[in-house]
């Protein structure tokens, strides 16, 4: 079976939302905060997950089998922010000296992987989008990918080329339709030029 992705285009104005620390709509969001690490810590404090911090500041996670996986604090600070896939996957924010990225810990297998962007599962099916944008500071790469997720494994299905823009307000509007805004530096800094909104539609063909 071949996967086809059709892109549709429209135009809309763009306004950056304060306290929005991911390219995914409504995710990793703290309206009252202006620091991504503070936001991550706030989300971790509210998260119903088997996590705690040891004396060195490392993140200690209890896996489904009762064993512990420790993510040591060092050049990267690990903060748990969300549970996905029926509480199997623990999304982790990785704060670095300049910028940040995301990863997830499989609570069943104990495997940890750094992700190319914030993960957003489709409402049905096996697709997950990975989105990352940083058009202002340019610390992190701009990424928009679609993967297939099966029992802990990811397979890249499609990658959108983002040479001079980043995705914003990424969301699934249906099980096979991903919407996002094409955020440029001009849009992010309040210019009046319109930003393009795109729609990726996944269809199947024999």
């Amino acid at each position: 079976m071949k996967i086809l992705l059709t892109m549709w285009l429209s135009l809309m104005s763009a306004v950056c939302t304060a306290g929005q620390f991911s390219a995914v709509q409504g995710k990793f969001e703290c309206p009252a905060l202006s620091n991504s690490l503070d936001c991550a810590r706030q989300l971790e404090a509210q998260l119903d997950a088997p996590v705690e911090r040891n004396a060195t500041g490392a993140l200690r996670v209890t896996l489904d089998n009762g064993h512990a996986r420790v993510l040591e604090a060092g050049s990267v600070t690990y903060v748990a922010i969300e549970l996905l896939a029926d509480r199997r996957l623990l999304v982790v924010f990785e704060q670095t000296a300049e910028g940040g990225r995301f990863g997830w810990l499989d609570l069943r297998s104990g495997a940890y992987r750094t992700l190319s962007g914030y993960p957003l599962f489709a409402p049905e099916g096996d697709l997950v989008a990975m989105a990352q944008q940083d058009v202002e500071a340019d610390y992190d790469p701009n990424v928009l990918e679609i993967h297939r997720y099966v029992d802990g494994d990811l397979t890249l299905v499609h990658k959108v080329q983002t040479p001079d823009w980043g995705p914003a307000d990424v969301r699934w509007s249906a099980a096979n339709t991903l919407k996002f805004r094409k955020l440029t530096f001009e849009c992010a800094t309040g210019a009046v030029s319109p930003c393009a909104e795109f729609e990726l539609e996944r269809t199947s063909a024999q």
Side-chain angles (χ1 to χ4, degrees):
M1 179 174 288
K2 183 170 64 175
I3 304 301
L4 302 176
L5 286 160
T6 305
M7 184 173 287
W8 304 91
L9 167 66
S10 63
L11 293 176
M12 64 178 292
S13 61
V15 178
C16 292
T17 304
Q20 174 70 51
F21 299 107
S22 85
V24 174
Q25 190 176 73
K27 298 291 186 178
F28 197 23
E29 191 174 54
C30 302
L33 298 176
S34 59
N35 180 279
S36 58
L37 183 56
D38 290 342
C39 180
R41 286 171 170 160
Q42 176 176 290
L43 294 176
E44 182 180 276
Q46 299 168 349
L47 187 63
D48 178 19
V51 300
E52 59 183 338
R53 299 223 162 257
N54 64 22
T56 66
L59 181 66
R60 184 181 187 276
V61 184
T62 302
L63 305 177
D64 289 349
N65 61 13
H67 295 156
R69 177 69 193 269
V70 178
L71 302 176
E72 295 288 352
S75 60
V76 177
T77 300
Y78 298 93
V79 189
I81 58 176
E82 187 178 9
L83 281 168
L84 297 176
D86 294 326
R87 300 180 63 86
R88 175 172 178 171
L89 301 174
L90 180 69
V91 180
V92 174
F93 177 60
E94 303 179 7
Q95 176 72 62
T96 61
E98 294 183 340
R101 54 185 183 259
F102 302 95
W104 70 30
L105 176 65
D106 190 318
L107 298 181
R108 189 178 301 172
S109 68
Y112 184 85
R113 86 181 275 163
T114 296
L115 304 173
S116 56
Y118 198 102
L120 181 66
F121 279 85
E124 298 175 8
D126 57 1
L127 296 182
V128 56
M130 301 286 176
Q132 171 75 29
Q133 74 87 4
D134 184 5
V135 297
E136 294 180 78
D138 199 28
Y139 289 139
D140 301 301
N142 294 300
V143 175
L144 184 60
E145 299 173 347
I146 298 177
H147 296 252
R148 180 180 293 109
Y149 172 84
V150 179
D151 194 27
D153 293 325
L154 287 171
T155 302
L156 181 64
V157 172
H158 183 72
K159 182 173 184 176
V160 179
Q161 298 301 317
T162 58
D164 55 4
W165 61 274
D169 289 338
V170 178
R171 70 273 190 200
W172 292 97
S173 60
N176 65 341
T177 306
L178 186 72
K179 291 187 175 183
F180 61 94
R181 286 194 293 121
K182 187 176 178 180
L183 197 70
T184 64
F185 178 81
E186 289 75 19
C187 291
T189 54
V192 296
S193 58
C195 288
E197 178 166 273
F198 287 87
E199 181 177 279
L200 281 173
E201 183 177 8
R202 176 204 188 216
T203 57
S204 299
Q206 296 296 331

